[in-house]
Amino acid sequence: MAATADTVSLKLVIDRKSQRVLFAEADKEFVDFLFSIFTLPVGTVTRLLKEDGSGGMVGCLPSLYRSIENLSSDYIQPSIDKRFLLRPKIIMPGAKPPLLLPDVGSTFRQLYGCSCGGSDGIDGNDGSGSTRVADDYRTICPKCDYKMDGSVTLVDPLGEVEVSFWGEEGYVKGTVTYMVMDDLKVKPMSTASVVTLFTRFNVNFNEIGAIEEKMVEFGMDDGVKLLRASLQSKTVLTDVFLSGSKK
């Protein structure tokens, strides 16, 4: 099957005897998705798993989330919008919406400054640069009454290079096939790694039928299942793809 805009293809390598996924062969798109999980604020993770309705969240975070939802705005500071807590965004260079998770939106909080060219603008005549930023390009600059629609460039902590993506988007290079373990450990695919893994799990790959290769399409429902399983299990791929068959 060919991947669509809402799915990515994976090749699962399954130990038939133990009914366990040993690893998955994955391209850049799936690894980018895994890495993008770390760009999700806790509020977003809680909402996704709470709305999933599969018992994915344990502990008190769902109760805290519902408390914020239900608390009257009379008790919230006037400068605070509850959406900042319930649907938070972070300032992360190059972040993009996590592929294969529903209703997440961009986790990147784009910043804007005044681009009017005035004395306090980004392109200010006095060279001072803007000291005001906003996360909405429609915001009116309190200094000059122009829209703050000039994109601000984020630099690394040492101020040495601009932090941005050049060429390929995402987090890893697309010229490599990746090996994703059942516990989501990621490494470049290699014969040595495969042999080491088979030895570790006592798999006789010369035995007929010992190993099964299976192509699957990984979609949004699977994305939420993986997110939930990653917080509860160390056999994530097995739980997501073989939970119905594993005894």
Side-chain angles (χ1 to χ4, degrees):
M1 291 183 292
T4 69
D6 297 323
T7 67
V8 297
S9 297
L10 295 176
K11 181 193 285 185
L12 303 181
V13 178
I14 302 167
D15 179 359
R16 297 270 312 263
K17 184 176 180 180
S18 64
Q19 277 298 293
R20 172 175 182 161
V21 177
L22 296 175
F23 65 91
E25 287 186 32
D27 292 332
K28 164 187 170 58
E29 288 76 16
F30 184 68
V31 177
D32 278 346
F33 162 69
L34 292 180
F35 286 9
S36 73
I37 290 175
F38 287 98
T39 71
L40 294 174
V42 173
T44 299
V45 173
T46 303
R47 175 173 57 81
L48 283 172
L49 299 186
K50 180 179 73 71
E51 293 176 354
D52 176 51
S54 302
M57 285 296 291
V58 296
C60 300
L61 284 179
S63 297
L64 181 58
Y65 190 96
R66 284 191 293 269
S67 296
I68 299 172
E69 279 185 311
N70 297 331
L71 188 64
S72 170
S73 58
D74 293 339
Y75 300 100
I76 303 293
Q77 293 280 4
S79 60
I80 297 297
D81 189 320
K82 286 198 294 185
R83 290 175 299 176
F84 294 157
L85 299 172
L86 300 177
R87 293 176 175 266
K89 293 185 178 182
I90 59 174
I91 299 174
M92 179 177 178
K96 64 179 194 176
L99 180 68
L100 305 174
L101 285 178
D103 192 26
V104 171
S106 176
T107 58
F108 179 36
R109 193 173 185 177
Q110 175 66 53
L111 298 179
Y112 301 92
C114 177
S115 58
C116 66
S119 61
D120 196 34
I122 290 177
D123 301 318
N125 296 327
D126 64 355
S128 62
S130 177
T131 57
R132 297 176 177 86
V133 293
D135 60 1
D136 188 330
Y137 67 91
R138 296 165 297 187
T139 302
I140 300 300
C141 175
K143 177 75 173 180
C144 64
D145 295 330
Y146 280 78
K147 283 185 179 180
M148 300 177 65
D149 55 3
S151 181
V152 175
T153 300
L154 188 65
V155 299
D156 76 355
L158 298 178
E160 294 173 347
V161 295
E162 294 182 356
V163 181
S164 58
F165 283 112
W166 295 90
E168 237 180 345
E169 288 189 340
Y171 305 103
V172 296
K173 293 183 178 180
T175 55
V176 181
T177 297
Y178 295 91
M179 186 176 181
V180 181
M181 309 300 183
D182 202 11
D183 63 358
L184 300 187
K185 185 182 296 181
V186 177
K187 61 175 66 177
M189 189 79 185
S190 72
T191 302
S193 295
V194 172
V195 172
T196 299
L197 188 67
F198 283 2
T199 302
R200 174 185 169 191
F201 287 103
N202 298 315
V203 176
N204 182 3
F205 48 86
N206 291 318
E207 180 182 339
I208 297 177
I211 296 298
E212 175 186 358
E213 292 186 351
K214 182 178 181 180
M215 292 299 300
V216 297
E217 295 304 304
F218 186 93
M220 286 193 177
D221 288 344
D222 299 313
V224 176
K225 289 178 184 177
L226 185 145
L227 177 61
R228 181 176 67 247
S230 69
L231 298 174
Q232 300 175 332
S233 171
K234 292 186 178 180
T235 57
V236 174
L237 298 182
T238 297
D239 293 345
V240 171
F241 293 106
L242 300 182
S243 59
S245 59
K246 186 178 179 183
K247 305 296 182 183

